[in-house]
């Protein structure tokens, strides 16, 4: 039931007629499970960039409807604009946000391409991570010749489309679809109005690096004198070494500094084979990082304006820490940083965990606390407010309504009323969630003061396990009640005709299986709670041992209750193979949980007895 979120960023060849753009975005918003995030039309480019997110299936469906709509209402034969383009829907990348990989997104691109090719008869090319051959990875190469050259290009067997007919579609052109990583637009703010201050640091960070210099007269790199490559003398930009030949410098850069000189020069539009007489270059620290310096009048501050094209390799907080060190070297201060647009949950969550570790704290604390730490540590609210719900994509699901948002006293009263739900299933989940919370509490109270690294690691493992199980169980409190209601809805279906009877029976059987799956997941998660509580009890501060023991008991109550709810629903399920498997799984889980409870309780009780004995 984990969250899966994909972003899709199609570009349409229409940036002036708002009515037409609206028809396209309406088609996207017509798909349930999709959220339209941004519509960015450009009159000069005559092009609109649309951003939407959702679960993978919904996103592909919405993308197809958008492509279909654009092919109907836009006409490439009359299109002009100041941006390269090849089709009515020009590019359509899929981007992983949460719970999906780049490979998953490449598969989504192929699904879209296949459908567009077959149903709309539009030629489709795959690019970047979805490319079918290396030379098609680069978008600029695939789009070369643009719409005007497409008819000829399609005649070339080298440029046979990946999907659809190799036949010119005059009205729609061609679609280019693929997968890429999420692009994070990230600005680092300085305590200075001087753009040059920001530029000097930005050039140190970015992959493209900068013109190499030596003989600096101040902390600013730009105060040095520019270097050039000369016959017999090829200066390294990253140290004081001078190589006799270009090849020797290439080898030096690879061995000593870990970068490819040719790639660096190409990034700077220098032909590596004609380097003599050209400026020498210094490589920057981070790959997948573009950066410049600028001055923002609204903030009265200079900023490093950064684009991170793969935050899994180069994360915002890593770049920020390097910027902070460089600012300090130059007598400057980083006052904060700013996410432009949206950011994937994992990027901010991992930043929060990084800073918690740096601060000697457990990174396995409630998700909102981790995010808050990231916002504080990165100074994300420095020049503009940072609203987590609006800025972060793929936030874990939390209960927004229902039982989990009730006041404790109201919840207990609600359970006591003469209605069948909420009942034992929800209570089992709540018991487990509370048990997990106690285990996390004990582990996090003790960590940082542990006797050894080994004990510290066990406590962190306990906190991680406990937080994950607790979050899952908090959602299960309402899921259990909803699952039961779905079964009741199925029971109320009409049963006038044999067909209706069969449909009702099938829906009821499906409802029953859901009503089994939910408590089964609850029981399994509660067993994880028991493991976390046991770890915390054995390794935590003795003063908190009874809290961990209570967590263990609550976890067992959840396992037991979950299994009881599985068993009572099995009696009405007709699929005997399913029933036998569930029964066997339940028996095994119950035996494991009992053993853990008995051993854990014995350990805890003995520890308590020793404490009492010492007192006497
Ligand atoms: Zn060097």
């Amino acid at each position: 039931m984990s969250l899966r979120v994909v972003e899709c960023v199609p570009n349409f060849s229409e940036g002036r007629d708002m009515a037409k753009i609206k028809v396209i975005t309406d088609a996207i918003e017509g798909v349930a499970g999709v959220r339209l995030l941004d519509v960015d039309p450009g009159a000069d480019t005559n092009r609109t960039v649309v951003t939407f997110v959702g679960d993978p299936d919904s996103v592909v469906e919405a993308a197809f409807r958008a492509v279909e709509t654009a092919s109907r209402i836009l006409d490439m034969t009359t299109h002009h604009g100041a941006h390269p383009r090849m089709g009515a829907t020009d590019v359509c990348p899929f981007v992983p946000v949460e719970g999906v990989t780049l490979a998953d997104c490449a598969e989504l691109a192929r699904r879209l391409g296949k459908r567009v090719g077959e149903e709309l008869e539009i030629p489709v090319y795959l690019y970047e991570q979805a490319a079918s051959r290396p030379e098609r990875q680069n978008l600029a190469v695939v789009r070369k010749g643009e719409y005007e050259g497409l008819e000829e290009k399609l005649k070339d067997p080298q440029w046979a489309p990946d999907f659809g007919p190799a036949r010119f579609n005059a009205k729609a052109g061609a679609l280019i679809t693929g997968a890429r990583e999420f692009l994070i637009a990230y600005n680092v703010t300085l305590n200075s109005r001087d753009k040059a201050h920001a530029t000097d640091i930005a050039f140190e960070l970015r992959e493209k690096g900068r013109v190499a210099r030596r003989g600096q007269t101040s902390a600013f790199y730009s105060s040095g004198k520019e270097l050039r490559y000369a016959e017999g003398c090829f200066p390294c930009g990253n140290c004081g070494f001078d190589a006799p030949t270009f090849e020797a410098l290439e080898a030096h850069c690879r061995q000593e500094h870990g970068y490819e000189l040719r790639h660096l020069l190409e990034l700077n539009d220098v032909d590596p084979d004609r380097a003599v007489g050209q400026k020498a270059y210094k490589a920057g620290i981070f790959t997948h990082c573009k950066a410049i310096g600028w001055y923002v009048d609204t903030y009265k501050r200079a900023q490093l304006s950064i684009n991170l094209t793969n935050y899994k390799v180069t994360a915002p907080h890593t770049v920020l820490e390097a910027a902070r060190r460089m600012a300090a070297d130059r007598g400057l201060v980083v006052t904060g940083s700013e996410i432009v647009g949206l950011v994937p949950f994992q990027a901010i969550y991992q930043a929060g965990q990084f800073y918690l570790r740096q601060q000697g704290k457990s990174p396995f604390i409630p998700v909102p606390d981790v995010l808050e730490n990231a916002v504080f540590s990165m100074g994300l609210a420095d020049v503009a407010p940072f609203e987590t719900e609006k800025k972060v994509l793929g936030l874990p699901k939390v209960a927004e309504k229902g039982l989990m948002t009730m006041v404790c006293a109201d919840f207990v009263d609600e359970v006591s009323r003469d209605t069948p739900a909420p009942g034992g299933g929800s209570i089992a989940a709540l018991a487990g969630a509370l048990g997990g919370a106690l285990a996390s509490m004990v582990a996090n109270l003790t960590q940082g003061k542990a006797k050894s690294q080994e004990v510290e690691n066990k406590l962190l493992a306990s906190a991680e396990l406990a937080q994950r199980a607790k979050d899952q169980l908090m959602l299960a409190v309402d899921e259990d009640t909803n699952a039961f209601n779905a079964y009741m809805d199925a029971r109320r279906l009409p049963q006038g005709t044999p067909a209706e009877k069969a449909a009702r029976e099938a829906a009821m059987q499906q409802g029953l299986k859901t009503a089994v799956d939910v408590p089964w997941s609850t029981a399994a998660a509660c067993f994880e709670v028991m493991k976390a509580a046991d770890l915390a009890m054995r390794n935590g501060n003795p003063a908190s041992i009874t809290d961990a023991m209570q967590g263990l008991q609550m976890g067992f109550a959840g396992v037991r209750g979950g299994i009881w709810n599985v068993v009572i629903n099995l009696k009405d399920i007709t699929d005997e193979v399913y029933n036998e498997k569930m029964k066997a799984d339940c028996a095994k889980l119950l035996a494991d949980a009992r053993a853990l409870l008995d051993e854990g309780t014995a350990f805890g009780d003995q520890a308590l007895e020793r404490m009492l004995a010492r007192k006497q």
Side-chain angles (χ1 to χ4, degrees):
M1 251 169 283
S2 64
L3 193 64
R4 300 185 79 212
V5 182
V6 172
E7 183 191 61
C8 185
V9 193
N11 292 213
F12 302 99
S13 291
E14 176 59 68
R16 294 164 192 165
D17 187 335
M18 293 306 141
K20 284 184 180 168
I21 295 166
K22 179 83 168 40
V23 176
I24 294 170
T25 54
D26 281 352
I28 291 167
E29 289 196 285
V31 177
V34 159
R35 187 158 57 103
L36 186 67
L37 294 178
D38 190 46
V39 181
D40 184 10
D44 291 342
T45 55
N46 198 8
R47 177 184 185 86
T48 299
V49 180
V50 175
T51 308
F52 62 94
V53 291
D55 64 275
D57 290 341
S58 304
V59 164
V60 174
E61 177 63 27
F64 177 80
R65 290 192 199 179
V67 172
E68 189 274 325
T69 307
S71 74
R72 254 187 310 112
I73 64 169
L74 306 184
D75 185 357
M76 288 305 290
T77 59
T78 57
H79 181 267
H80 298 282
H83 191 291
R85 78 285 179 266
M86 202 171 233
T89 306
D90 187 48
V91 290
C92 185
F94 293 90
V95 180
V97 174
E98 182 66 34
V100 289
T101 64
L102 201 54
D104 295 335
C105 286
E107 184 53 35
L108 298 180
R110 285 188 284 273
R111 260 170 63 188
L112 173 71
K114 189 165 189 292
R115 226 181 130 188
V116 167
E118 285 172 1
E119 295 181 29
L120 307 177
E121 302 200 334
I122 296 172
V124 178
Y125 292 105
L126 297 168
Y127 81 116
E128 289 223 5
Q129 293 302 311
S132 56
R133 43 186 110 164
E135 65 271 23
R136 292 192 183 185
Q137 277 173 11
N138 188 327
L139 173 63
V141 174
V142 177
R143 199 161 50 193
K144 201 168 172 215
E146 294 193 42
Y147 169 77
E148 286 71 16
L150 182 59
E151 192 166 8
E152 279 306 304
K153 192 169 190 158
L154 283 164
K155 290 177 186 162
D156 181 354
Q158 278 294 100
W159 284 102
D162 290 298
F163 297 105
R167 191 173 60 235
F168 185 50
N169 183 328
K171 193 155 172 262
L175 169 71
I176 307 170
T177 180
R180 61 163 170 79
E181 285 290 358
F182 196 97
L183 189 147
I184 299 177
Y186 182 56
N187 297 338
V188 173
T189 313
L190 296 177
N191 63 331
S192 164
R193 293 187 184 214
D194 190 344
K195 176 187 159 183
H197 285 164
T199 303
D200 200 53
I201 298 172
F203 285 4
E204 291 290 310
L205 302 177
R206 65 180 189 178
E207 182 167 15
K208 194 177 169 181
R210 69 194 315 166
V211 173
R213 291 165 189 263
R214 283 180 195 165
Q216 273 74 7
T217 54
S218 79
F220 290 90
Y221 186 85
S222 51
S223 64
K225 281 187 68 92
E226 284 186 7
L227 300 178
R228 279 183 188 267
Y229 299 123
E231 207 65 67
C233 183
F234 290 83
C236 172
N238 289 69
C239 73
F241 175 72
D242 291 326
T245 63
F246 182 82
E247 287 69 30
L249 180 60
E250 234 186 327
H252 167 86
C253 290
R254 193 177 296 135
Q255 282 155 17
E256 299 298 319
H257 307 295
Y259 67 86
E260 287 300 323
L261 180 62
R262 283 179 170 269
H263 176 63
L264 175 66
L265 294 182
E266 280 160 5
L267 284 176
N268 286 287
D269 296 322
V270 172
D271 181 351
D273 296 319
R274 296 201 182 102
V276 172
Q278 299 288 332
K279 288 174 183 169
Y281 281 86
K282 177 191 188 199
I285 301 177
F286 298 110
T287 63
H288 305 90
C289 174
K290 299 173 183 171
I292 56 164
W294 67 21
Y295 171 72
V296 182
D297 200 41
T298 321
Y299 307 148
K300 303 273 180 250
R301 235 69 88 64
Q303 281 189 326
L304 287 70
S305 167
I306 303 166
N307 272 336
L308 298 172
T309 54
N310 187 345
Y311 70 90
K312 291 163 190 166
V313 177
T314 301
H317 64 269
T318 319
V319 177
L320 175 63
E321 286 309 295
R324 280 176 168 157
R325 285 193 299 274
M326 286 177 191
D329 290 345
R330 289 161 172 80
L332 294 165
V333 172
V334 168
T335 61
S337 64
E338 182 188 23
I339 298 280
V340 183
L342 301 164
V343 62
F345 166 71
Q346 285 299 334
I348 294 296
Y349 185 68
Q350 281 161 20
Q353 290 196 318
F354 166 81
Y355 287 108
L356 284 164
R357 281 195 183 93
Q358 293 289 104
Q359 294 153 9
K361 303 288 283 183
S362 163
F364 306 111
I365 58 175
V367 170
D369 299 10
V370 177
L371 297 183
E372 183 186 72
N373 190 286
V375 173
F376 290 161
S377 300
M378 298 171 83
L380 289 174
D382 178 33
V383 289
F386 185 89
E387 293 172 80
T388 306
E389 289 76 25
K390 287 186 186 161
K391 298 289 278 185
V392 182
L393 276 178
L395 278 173
K397 217 164 92 182
V398 289
E400 282 168 355
K401 54 182 170 49
L403 302 169
M404 276 312 280
T405 59
M406 289 174 90
V407 171
C408 265
D410 293 342
F411 178 84
V412 176
D413 276 345
E414 178 61 26
V415 174
S416 76
R417 292 203 171 98
D418 59 354
T419 48
S426 290
I427 302 307
L430 183 62
L434 287 168
L438 281 169
S440 165
M441 177 191 99
V442 175
N444 284 332
L445 267 175
T446 317
Q447 77 80 36
K449 308 175 199 86
K451 302 190 277 287
S452 68
Q453 190 58 48
E454 192 197 341
V455 172
E456 171 84 8
N457 291 345
K458 284 181 180 167
L459 289 166
L460 288 178
S462 166
E464 184 175 17
L465 199 60
Q467 282 293 335
R468 199 186 310 133
K470 178 211 69 179
D471 286 351
Q472 185 191 333
L473 287 163
M474 285 206 285
L475 292 173
V477 172
D478 282 289
E479 279 165 5
D480 191 272
T481 296
N482 296 341
F484 182 75
N485 288 339
Y487 169 67
M488 295 305 282
D489 288 346
R491 279 185 60 143
R492 281 190 283 269
L493 286 172
Q495 41 184 333
T497 67
E500 279 175 354
K501 264 188 186 153
R504 174 176 175 268
E505 182 58 28
M508 278 168 51
Q509 287 294 319
Q510 192 48 51
L512 281 168
K513 281 186 182 174
T514 307
V516 165
D517 288 345
V518 173
W520 167 252
S521 301
T522 293
C526 287
F527 186 51
E528 299 299 300
V529 163
M530 291 181 70
K531 290 183 201 164
D534 188 66
L535 263 177
M537 177 183 71
R538 288 170 192 271
N539 297 284
N541 186 336
S544 305
I545 194 166
T546 49
D547 297 311
M549 288 164 74
Q550 182 68 41
L552 185 69
Q553 291 289 337
M554 297 294 272
F556 184 74
V559 172
R560 203 65 197 86
I563 290 176
W564 276 325
N565 275 276
V566 169
V567 172
I568 196 165
N569 286 319
L570 286 183
K571 71 176 169 36
D572 296 319
I573 293 182
T574 51
D575 181 347
E576 282 310 320
V577 178
Y578 177 88
N579 286 348
E580 287 310 311
K581 166 135 196 346
M582 271 327 292
K583 275 189 216 159
D585 288 349
C586 284
K588 164 113 185 25
L589 181 63
L590 187 56
D592 290 346
R594 271 202 177 115
L596 185 54
L597 178 74
D598 290 347
E599 285 166 32
T601 309
F603 174 92
D605 282 340
Q606 281 160 18
L608 282 177
E609 274 168 30
R610 282 196 300 275
M611 282 186 214
L612 271 177
R614 273 199 294 278
K615 185 191 156 214
Q616 281 155 1

